[in-house]
Amino acid sequence: MNSLTTTLLHKKSGLAFLMLLLLSACFLPKTVMADSSYSVNRYGELTTYSGSPNVTIRSNTSAISTSAFDKVKTSSFTVASGNQYYKSINGVLFNKSGTMLVRFPTERGGSYTIPSTVTKIAGSAFYRCNKLTKITMSNKVTTLDSYAFSECSKLETVTLSNAITELPYEAFSNDKNLKKVHMPSKLQKISELAFDDCFSLSSITIPSGVDTIESQAFSGCRSLTSVTLPDDLSDIEYAAFEDCYSLAKVSYGKNMTYIPSQCFANCEKLTTVTNIENVETINYEAFGSCKSLKNISLPKELESVSSYAFYGCGSIGKITIGKKVVHIDNTSFNGAGTSFQVAKENKKYSSADGLLLNKNGTKLIQVPKGTNGALTIPKGVTNINATALQYSNIKSVRIPEGVTKLSKWTFSHCKRLVNIALPASLKTFEAARTSPFDIESDNVKNIEVAADNPYFSVVNGALYNKNETKLLYFPPAKRGSFALSANCKNLNNQLKYNKLTSITIPASNPNFISSDGVLYDNRGKVMRCYPLKRSVYTIPKKVNNVDYLNKVRESCNIKSIKVAKANKTFTAKDGVLFKRASMTLLFYPPMKQGAYVIPDDTRHIDEEAFCATQITKLTISKNITRSAYTTYYLTDCKKLTEVTVKQGKLNSITLNFDGSKQLKKITLPSTIMTMKLRNLPKKVTIYGWDNTEAKKIAKKAKGSFVSLGTIPAQVSGIKAKKIIDTYELSWNKSSNVSGYQVYTKYETIANLSGADKTSCKIKDLRDNYDKIYVRAYITKGKQKIYGKAKAYYVK
């Protein structure tokens, strides 16, 4: 074979191989490119969509998730020609046969009549259709799925099919303008939250065939004025009509034997409830806080009244307890009624002088709210329920002889109570589980105890144990100066919420020292109690701990703090307290008025330094240094309108504004890359830099963003190399920058001037850091504008 023949064969072989390769490629499976705006899972279900508002359902889609379109406002639906499962009629999506309405465009407004072919409304079919005002359907519709019409904010009128037997979960919830609903004549069940927060629904006719109303079905229907429940009703669940503030009249289902928990709770205008003759049980908080309730007669068949059933029903007059009642919770009638009357035939309870007692009259169960002036407890009572006096209008009470045990909780929320007298028989006076500090009746001025009581004594109007070592109760209405007992060594938190200007103690007491009316430990170093009405405080030279002030800051009236010159722990500037060694701002006086600029020599701020203060504007200075996680609580600052963070050492900050609702403006520097602004009020304006988190935070808070400029882009190519005993961190050069900064969450490692300086040496990389950040900066005048940081993860 000659060379020419060989060459030709090689060319033919190469050509054959190329043809084979191309032919093979035609039969290889094609790679499907993922489309993030239209995601279909392996079952053919469209799970998420974020594309055009004019949606085209593709041929590969056989099902649609109810939440698929939550990220987009839809204008119309069309269906690809190859799809076997869906079709579109005038931009509305249906199944192929037209029997199910699948999705209605959220941006379509006005009224809509559902085609007569439809028998089912799919879940979320009209969800968040916020421009739709009226819906009409034919009687061929038999089924609604959950969320069918929920969160349609302008929907006013709905005509439902008479063939529907069940209103599903959250069918109309949060339809805030819904005013009129034609209810199906064959309806049997109203499901959980079906009409929750339908604020404008003023009337509703519940068909006679309804046998079930599930929990919170009408909760928050604040315009609903009257309700008639059908006699066929066999099951009603908790909170069905809770927070229906305008509900004035209720006709209950005659065959119902119970009223469920919180069924009518917070129905503030409810005055009349009828048709409860067969009710045997009234459950937890069934009528809680129905403060207008007057016309209600407890049924003769009633057997049990649960906790807080009539709590806060202050307008109820005489409460008559029938003969069949066998259980009344200790809190059933807290803050209710003018008097109690118990049927003589009742085997568990009795009444005397309008008070509710057990059958033999030895236990006081409840004092009605309407009891005024001095309370006379009947003779023979030896046991007082822990909540018996709560929410009553009594001004004074003398606990009768024979009572050996008493809870401080008994006197809670007695707003008019002034005087308490304790008997010689009393052995224990216990703190309440939920409130261990005081009686929570702010007007109590005097407490007395029988002179021959072997367990308690009173000194200067406060209650102690017999040997006066433990303060048990301090009347909160006491004013001025208060002198502790010479034997006292345990305050028991009783002075925590005082209204005093001075606290003193005899020199013979070995446990405390009083200096200028402030109480300290026996060494004079730790504050133990502060008279909260005092507005100016000078810290003595020995004191090194005033943490107590943070515990009482919300009740504290301090306007200014001074520090003795010889004090080695603290210093004060402009009436504000600092820790001397670290120059940490510890405590800003709660009643100090106006704007405040943190001094430049301050290095740290205690996280709660500004809580519950009267500050109006705060400027955080440039030399504040970041600790591991720099969080500042500017909570309950009722007058705070503006916060400015100066450009400086901080590169991360968290600010919490819970309860500071007057905040209008926040200014943030380019140096802060990581920021968390929590509980921002609406309409706040954030002044910050593009490419930082400031803009995103403003949008989330429904506020506005004002750009101060654009920061440099991130650096790239960060890497580290160990050279003998030193690490070298390097990165790619950035264009049009003035230099770089290298830092960790704790400190700055290096500031490098010049775009070409793209490396720095670090002595011990692994032992000290988990992440190192590098960012570029540009210089404009005297200001450095820092770019977005890039993290290098140390392994």
Side-chain angles (χ1 to χ4, degrees), residues 359-374:
K359 185 61 179 178
N360 60 13
T362 58
K363 181 178 181 179
L364 175 62
I365 297 171
Q366 186 66 60
V367 175
K369 179 181 179 180
T371 303
N372 293 296

Side-chain angles (χ1 to χ4, degrees), residues 152-171:
C152 297
S153 62
K154 292 187 178 179
L155 184 62
E156 295 182 3
T157 305
V158 176
T159 301
L160 293 170
S161 163
N162 283 326
I164 292 173
T165 59
E166 178 179 339
L167 296 183
Y169 178 80
E170 292 204 30

Side-chain angles (χ1 to χ4, degrees), residues 55-59 61 77-89 92-94 96:
V55 183
T56 298
I57 304 301
R58 299 177 183 177
S59 59
T61 305
F77 291 93
T78 56
V79 180
S81 58
N83 190 291
Q84 304 175 37
Y85 306 97
Y86 295 102
K87 71 177 180 179
S88 173
I89 303 175
V92 182
L93 187 64
F94 297 83
K96 199 70 171 180

Side-chain angles (χ1 to χ4, degrees), residues 158-211:
V158 176
T159 301
L160 293 170
S161 163
N162 283 326
I164 292 173
T165 59
E166 178 179 339
L167 296 183
Y169 178 80
E170 292 204 30
F172 298 92
S173 67
N174 285 292
D175 289 355
K176 300 186 187 302
N177 279 300
L178 186 63
K179 297 174 182 176
K180 186 175 181 181
V181 180
H182 171 80
M183 298 287 272
S185 58
K186 295 183 180 180
L187 189 65
Q188 298 174 9
K189 179 181 178 181
I190 303 174
S191 296
E192 184 179 1
L193 296 164
F195 293 94
D196 174 57
D197 285 344
C198 290
F199 294 159
S200 300
L201 191 64
S202 58
S203 64
I204 193 81
T205 300
I206 299 176
S208 59
V210 172
D211 61 15

Side-chain angles (χ1 to χ4, degrees), residues 134-153:
K134 183 178 179 181
I135 294 174
T136 305
M137 64 180 71
S138 72
N139 288 332
K140 290 187 178 179
V141 176
T142 59
T143 305
L144 301 180
D145 280 349
S146 295
Y147 305 102
F149 302 99
S150 68
E151 297 192 32
C152 297
S153 62

